[in-house]
Amino acid sequence: MRPLKLTLSAFGPYAGTVTLDFDRLGNAGLYLITGDTGAGKTTIFDAISFALFGEPSGTSREPGMLRSKYADPATPTEVELIFLYGGKTYAVKRNPEYQRPKARGEGFTKKAADAQLTLPDGRVVTKLKDVDKAVRDILGLNREQFSQVAMISQGDFRKLLQADTKERQKIFRDIFGTGLFVTLQNQ
């Protein structure tokens, strides 16, 4: 999976809309995200993970914590990720549950979490569960596995290396699609 473009709106520390054009970095598919503490590196990981799986990259943050406290109340909180996988381009857009101003009258109302996945053939998948399943089917990984192998943050690569043999085997089996060989071997 190679990210092409990531757009964040009222997400994390970003009050407005910010677009990261990964395509400008070339097509090698390996990126080093570096910067001072507080520069927003983890927010980029959180945004990619949230777009794909509806959850931030780490376990210390909940989806409800992703709305920027600096954003104008009328600015929608959402993330859109355009990515390339298997030579095909996909676009996934999500928003967490958050409070937004009422369309009429005073006060706020709850904006429900929502997701949309646009497939290479133009078909659109909606509904959270359907988008979640489609993304897992496309990538062949769940959020935890994706975080371990595709977005290796400080110390997480060490966790992969230090995982017990069974967990490592499961991760690599899922990545490389060798489950059929294990089934055949067991039979």
Side-chain angles (χ1 to χ4, degrees):
M1 191 283 296
R2 184 167 68 88
L4 300 175
K5 185 184 285 187
L6 178 66
T7 304
L8 306 98
S9 174
F11 189 88
Y14 303 108
T17 300
V18 175
T19 300
L20 302 172
D21 188 355
F22 290 100
D23 208 29
R24 291 180 57 196
L25 300 176
N27 59 9
L30 185 63
Y31 308 106
L32 172 64
I33 298 173
T34 183
D36 293 336
T37 300
K41 300 178 299 292
T42 301
T43 301
I44 294 169
F45 290 142
D46 283 345
I48 292 171
S49 178
F50 180 74
L52 293 170
F53 303 104
E55 298 177 56
S57 61
T59 56
S60 63
R61 292 167 303 283
E62 305 272 330
M65 300 167 63
L66 299 176
R67 175 155 174 88
S68 174
K69 63 183 178 181
Y70 308 109
D72 181 276
T75 302
T77 298
E78 59 190 20
V79 174
E80 181 176 21
L81 176 66
I82 299 171
F83 65 95
L84 190 67
Y85 186 81
K88 297 177 183 176
T89 302
Y90 299 84
V92 62
K93 187 175 189 177
R94 284 188 195 259
N95 67 271
E97 180 180 291
Y98 66 95
Q99 295 292 315
R100 65 163 179 79
K102 289 183 176 179
R104 289 178 236 186
E106 303 279 326
F108 290 84
T109 188
K110 180 173 70 172
K111 169 76 172 160
D114 199 12
Q116 175 179 307
L117 173 67
T118 304
L119 301 170
D121 63 7
R123 287 182 298 130
V124 177
V125 178
T126 58
K127 297 183 184 173
L128 288 172
K129 288 183 180 182
D130 294 341
V131 171
D132 292 346
K133 181 182 181 323
V135 168
R136 280 193 312 275
D137 289 347
I138 291 164
L139 299 179
L141 300 170
N142 63 31
R143 185 196 61 85
E144 291 79 18
Q145 294 165 331
F146 183 80
S147 293
Q148 287 178 313
V149 298
M151 296 190 321
I152 303 173
S153 60
Q154 297 167 336
D156 285 346
F157 184 65
R158 179 176 302 216
K159 288 179 190 174
L160 174 62
L161 293 176
Q162 293 176 338
D164 66 47
T165 302
K166 288 187 184 216
E167 180 62 19
R168 247 192 338 261
Q169 284 176 338
K170 182 182 182 321
I171 292 168
F172 289 130
R173 189 174 320 128
D174 291 343
I175 291 170
F176 298 112
T178 61
L180 293 173
F181 298 113
V182 172
T183 303
L184 180 62
Q185 178 182 351
N186 290 339
Q187 288 178 351

